[in-house]
Amino acid sequence: MRTDDLPVRRFAGVDAFLAAAGSFLAAREAEHNLIFGICSSLRETPERYGEPYLAVVERGDRVVAAALQTPPFRLVLSEVDEPAAIDALVDDVLTRSLPGVAGPVEHVRAFAGTWLARGGPTPTLAMSERMYRLATVIPPRPIPGRSRIAGPADRDLVIDWTEAFMREAFGDADPVVVAADVDRWLARRGRTIYVWDDGEPRSLAGVGGDTPNGTRIGPVYTPPALRARGYASALVAEVSQAKLDAGRRFCFLFTDLANPTANHIYQAIGYEPIRDVDAYRFAPR
């Protein structure tokens, strides 16, 4: 496809990126909640990342696609209004050292195919997820305990549970990176960690990554021995309600499509499916 009439415009900072892409992204806020959330993290914890890639593809004065990458993480694609914009983005990032790409199923699949055709490292489907949005909480069945914000005394437990979540969800965890993230979260920078406490912590949920009208819930983790007791449902419902009460219109979260339990319990408390997204990993160069 011809891409010379679909220029890619890069930005040095997140504010300039949002000034150009904000209206395009906000028109489908739910679908772009991850991109908005990453932009929020870039503002709050810039030291967490390497030099970001922030770009839009334009047709005249109209944005038709956007993408960002915060090293060492995958490139994230927006919704794409013109298929040729994917070719333009592939050409623009082909020389970058990308570990992978994530985004709406059909767009990220097209990106992976074009990437390979252009000589990029082989892409492999790593995960299929579903994006959810909540506007009204459906209270789950009452269970003993309460939610509370995790504090310094919970540090070791939050580190252990976050590492376990990463291994379970993504197959790997870097203990040094996890510990640094947890320290930021306990300082309430970029994310706030909540636990369900019934005499002792039973489940964990993070909140952060604001959008214009919402915020994202995650990670959510309950140790295997404590599952099927309603802890995650109660915690996510209570934290989501607190965010709505504080003025957010929506809460968002992602689930692994291979985990039917998670997809069921979140829908039971009011989360509605919005979009399926895929993540590909690229073979090392």
Side-chain angles (χ1 to χ4, degrees):
M1 294 185 184
R2 287 175 54 85
T3 62
D4 51 344
D5 54 351
L6 288 170
V8 176
R9 185 154 57 113
R10 296 192 190 187
F11 302 89
V14 67
D15 292 327
F17 170 72
L18 287 175
S23 295
F24 169 82
L25 298 171
R28 288 162 287 191
E29 181 177 346
E31 291 86 341
H32 295 134
N33 78 85
L34 179 58
I35 291 179
F36 275 123
I38 294 170
C39 289
S40 177
S41 295
L42 277 168
R43 284 183 173 134
E44 295 176 5
T45 57
E47 76 280 3
R48 173 69 173 86
Y49 310 105
E51 183 177 347
Y53 172 85
L54 303 154
V56 299
V57 183
E58 296 172 311
R59 167 79 71 183
D61 60 358
R62 181 171 62 94
V63 174
V64 297
L68 58 74
Q69 188 220 359
T70 48
F73 302 105
R74 297 181 180 104
L75 183 78
V76 179
L77 295 182
S78 70
E79 296 290 341
V80 176
D81 288 347
E82 294 200 28
I86 294 173
D87 296 64
L89 283 169
V90 171
D91 289 343
D92 197 56
V93 300
L94 196 56
T95 59
R96 286 181 70 88
S97 180
L98 294 181
V101 61
V105 170
E106 68 274 22
H107 303 321
V108 78
R109 183 182 300 137
F111 184 100
T114 303
W115 171 267
L116 184 62
R118 295 282 203 276
T122 302
T124 303
L125 182 64
M127 177 179 288
S128 294
E129 296 181 292
R130 182 158 291 158
M131 182 188 302
Y132 286 87
R133 176 181 60 199
L134 173 141
T136 303
V137 174
I138 301 171
R141 62 179 175 84
I143 62 169
R146 63 181 182 88
S147 67
R148 64 172 176 83
I149 295 175
D154 301 299
R155 181 179 185 270
D156 289 346
L157 177 140
V158 174
I159 288 174
D160 287 347
W161 285 5
T162 303
E163 284 188 18
F165 168 83
M166 296 294 290
R167 288 193 296 269
E168 188 171 305
F170 306 112
D172 193 19
D174 184 327
V176 174
V177 172
V178 169
D181 281 343
V182 167
D183 286 338
R184 277 188 286 268
W185 297 345
L186 293 178
R188 302 179 72 175
R189 295 185 62 232
R191 194 158 296 274
T192 302
I193 297 296
Y194 294 80
V195 296
W196 189 265
D197 197 319
D198 177 22
E200 60 183 79
R202 304 294 189 181
S203 188
L204 171 153
V207 182
D210 288 348
T211 71
N213 297 288
T215 195
R216 192 170 78 253
I217 309 296
V220 179
Y221 181 76
T222 305
L226 297 174
R227 293 176 186 173
R229 304 184 190 187
Y231 294 129
S233 294
L235 179 57
V236 171
E238 198 162 298
V239 170
S240 300
Q241 186 63 61
K243 295 304 170 184
L244 297 179
D245 292 344
R248 297 279 103 184
R249 290 179 57 198
F250 308 110
C251 293
F252 306 103
L253 57 74
F254 288 76
T255 64
D256 183 349
L257 282 174
N259 185 341
T261 300
N263 284 275
H264 170 73
I265 67 171
Y266 296 133
Q267 290 184 74
I269 60 175
Y271 277 88
E272 300 177 338
I274 296 296
R275 192 69 156 97
D276 286 358
V277 296
D278 281 346
Y280 286 80
R281 72 171 63 91
F282 297 150
R285 287 187 182 273

